[in-house]
Amino acid sequence: VDLGMKYSGFIPTTEFTEETGAKIEDCVKIGDQIEAVVVRVNDVEGTVQLSKKRLDAAKNWEVIVAAAESGEVVEGIVTEDNKGGVVVSVKGNRVFVPASQTGLPREAEMSSLLKQHVRLKITEIKGRRVVGSIRAVQREERRIAAEKVWSEIEVGKHYNGTVKSIASYGVFVDIGGIDGMVHVSELSWGRVRNPADVVSVGQEMDVYVISFDQEARKISLGHKDPNGNPWTKFMETYQVGDVAKVKIVK
């Protein structure tokens, strides 16, 4: 950058974006005017190092403080991870999110969040140390989504859900903020001894509502296709007196 003096100014390309693999040409153009703060002056080489991030952070500090007071949701990019949690860059400011507030399962690696855009709430400010919670936003969004599901749910309605957990008697499927249960007998027309043999956590499933109790907050889901009922197929295929070639199984 031209400082209007004999010293040459430069700003590291990492100061312009948090995106991995982003081209500097997409972030700044020749002729652009930039505000930055002086970080280091090298009289021997005649250069001045500047920081855009530091200035941005200082300018946006009031935004962080206001978000902490109002509970407003802010957005940022995860830039660092460690055993204790992750660091999110929010408008140039470092926000620490403890592992318990990342929204990840206990056994999950914090590094799985690196470079991701996240939404969070500022929960604490001590001096220049800022603490946030991604989980608080997820919890609120899940509550809103759950209320929407309950307001529209009806028997027979189909959902594309995600398997959240597996038990010996069935699987629990998230249908958009609410978990419903698919009993083991509803997984397949064939006999299933262990649900884990046919589904896995994180798998997407097409399910439909068999019954629900809004007061008890319980939903019973089905997965097997009603059109695949072997009894129906049998009745459609055979008539009294037909000869069938069969296999003895018991």
Side-chain angles (χ1 to χ4, degrees), residues 205-240:
M205 286 182 66
D206 289 320
V207 295
Y208 56 90
V209 179
I210 295 176
S211 64
F212 63 91
D213 185 333
Q214 193 155 348
E215 291 186 3
R217 288 309 213 221
K218 290 184 178 180
I219 302 175
S220 177
L221 301 170
H223 171 64
K224 57 188 182 185
D225 184 0
N227 296 323
N229 189 330
W231 293 106
T232 302
K233 287 185 176 181
F234 179 85
M235 296 301 291
E236 292 173 348
T237 305
Y238 297 103
Q239 303 296 324
V240 174

Side-chain angles (χ1 to χ4, degrees), residues 44 50 68 76 145 171 192 203 214 240:
V44 176
L50 302 100
V171 299
V192 177
Q203 175 183 332
Q214 193 155 348
V240 174

Side-chain angles (χ1 to χ4, degrees), residues 1 9-16 34-36 48-52:
V1 291
F10 73 92
I11 305 173
T13 55
T14 53
E15 295 275 330
F16 292 92
I34 299 172
E35 283 190 300
V48 178
Q49 181 179 341
L50 302 100
S51 173
K52 181 177 179 296

Side-chain angles (χ1 to χ4, degrees), residues 150-188:
W150 280 118
S151 67
E152 301 173 348
I153 196 169
E154 58 185 29
V155 173
K157 187 168 184 176
H158 285 252
Y159 294 92
N160 181 255
T162 304
V163 177
K164 299 304 291 290
S165 62
I166 301 175
S168 60
Y169 50 84
V171 299
F172 291 90
V173 180
D174 180 356
I175 58 174
I178 300 177
D179 289 349
M181 192 192 79
V182 181
H183 191 268
V184 62
S185 63
E186 293 295 333
L187 286 172
S188 170

Side-chain angles (χ1 to χ4, degrees), residues 48-100:
V48 178
Q49 181 179 341
L50 302 100
S51 173
K52 181 177 179 296
K53 280 185 176 180
R54 290 193 189 182
L55 186 59
D56 289 345
K59 284 185 174 181
N60 291 314
W61 177 251
E62 291 184 2
V63 175
I64 300 296
V65 174
E69 295 175 349
S70 66
E72 178 188 353
V73 175
V74 295
E75 298 184 9
I77 297 178
V78 179
T79 56
E80 303 173 33
D81 73 287
N82 53 55
K83 292 182 179 180
V86 297
V87 174
V88 182
S89 176
V90 179
K91 296 185 180 299
N93 289 277
R94 288 167 54 91
V95 180
F96 176 69
V97 179
S100 62

